[in-house]
């Protein structure tokens, strides 16, 4: 089947501590495009490493890629740490690829950053799924941009 798709790699993050948790959080990232979404497994701590990859089908009218980082908590609702959004156009206009750190906000407050890679596939035959990735810091990626 031919369709447009976006492969998103969630590599790692640098998060500002949540006061009431004493730095002990299990953050995960939810990526959504329109009604379709995928999420990483929870990682540990203020500097999580997820190493997750997803491929999401992208409709013709879908333009925004949304990221939410939440702290996994049971049984209460998972707490929002921060969110960000990117436009599909930003990926398309950079040779169909984007790699870097994006800032997370909760309201007007900056709450951290996540390192991502995105690749857009226009009208490709791509399978949908998730897989684990190697440790990217062993492949020359920079350390966290700032410590929180």
């Amino acid at each position: 089947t031919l369709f447009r798709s976006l492969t998103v790699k969630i590599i790692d993050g640098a998060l500002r501590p949540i006061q009431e948790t004493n730095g002990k959080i299990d953050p995960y990232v939810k990526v959504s495009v329109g009604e379709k979404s995928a999420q990483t497994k929870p990682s540990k701590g203020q500097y999580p490493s997820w190493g997750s990859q997803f491929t999401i089908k992208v409709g013709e009218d879908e333009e925004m890629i949304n990221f939410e980082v939440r702290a996994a908590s049971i049984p209460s609702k998972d707490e929002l740490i921060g969110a960000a959004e990117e436009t599909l156009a930003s990926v398309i206009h950079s040779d169909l690829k984007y790699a870097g750190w994006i800032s997370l906000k909760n309201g007007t407050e900056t709450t951290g950053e996540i390192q991502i890679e995105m690749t857009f596939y226009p009208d490709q035959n791509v399978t949908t799924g998730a897989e684990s990735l190697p440790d990217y810091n062993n492949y020359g990626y920079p350390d966290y941009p700032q410590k929180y």
Side-chain angles (χ1 to χ4, degrees):
T1 304
L2 292 180
F3 57 85
R4 299 176 351 141
S5 65
L6 181 71
T7 297
V8 181
K9 296 177 185 176
I10 308 294
I11 301 167
D12 50 20
L15 308 174
R16 200 167 85 203
I18 300 173
Q19 288 186 349
E20 58 270 11
T21 65
N22 296 323
K24 295 179 182 177
I25 55 173
D26 295 326
Y28 64 90
V29 181
K30 180 179 178 182
V31 181
S32 57
V33 177
E35 298 294 317
K36 296 167 285 305
S37 66
Q39 71 183 41
T40 67
K41 292 181 180 173
S43 187
K44 295 274 186 208
Q46 187 180 346
Y47 300 99
S49 179
W50 292 287
S52 297
Q53 176 175 306
F54 311 103
T55 299
I56 300 174
K57 290 181 184 181
V58 179
E60 290 291 328
D61 58 343
E62 293 170 327
E63 298 176 7
M64 300 305 297
I65 307 151
N66 297 293
F67 299 88
E68 283 186 358
V69 178
R70 293 187 169 270
S73 58
I74 299 172
S76 64
K77 185 178 180 195
D78 295 354
E79 180 177 352
L80 178 68
I81 295 172
E85 62 181 18
E86 289 288 330
T87 63
L88 191 56
S90 68
V91 180
I92 293 170
H93 295 307
S94 58
D95 295 326
L96 306 181
K97 293 181 185 254
Y98 173 89
W101 291 87
I102 58 173
S103 292
L104 302 168
K105 289 197 176 276
N106 192 338
T108 59
E109 185 178 4
T110 299
T111 56
E113 297 167 294
I114 56 173
Q115 185 179 27
I116 63 168
E117 288 183 4
M118 295 186 286
T119 305
F120 180 69
Y121 297 94
D123 300 327
Q124 294 289 320
N125 190 1
V126 179
T127 58
T128 301
E131 61 185 64
S132 293
L133 298 175
D135 179 1
Y136 276 87
N137 287 330
N138 292 336
Y139 293 92
Y141 285 90
D143 276 331
Y144 302 106
Q146 56 184 315
K147 300 293 182 188
Y148 288 93

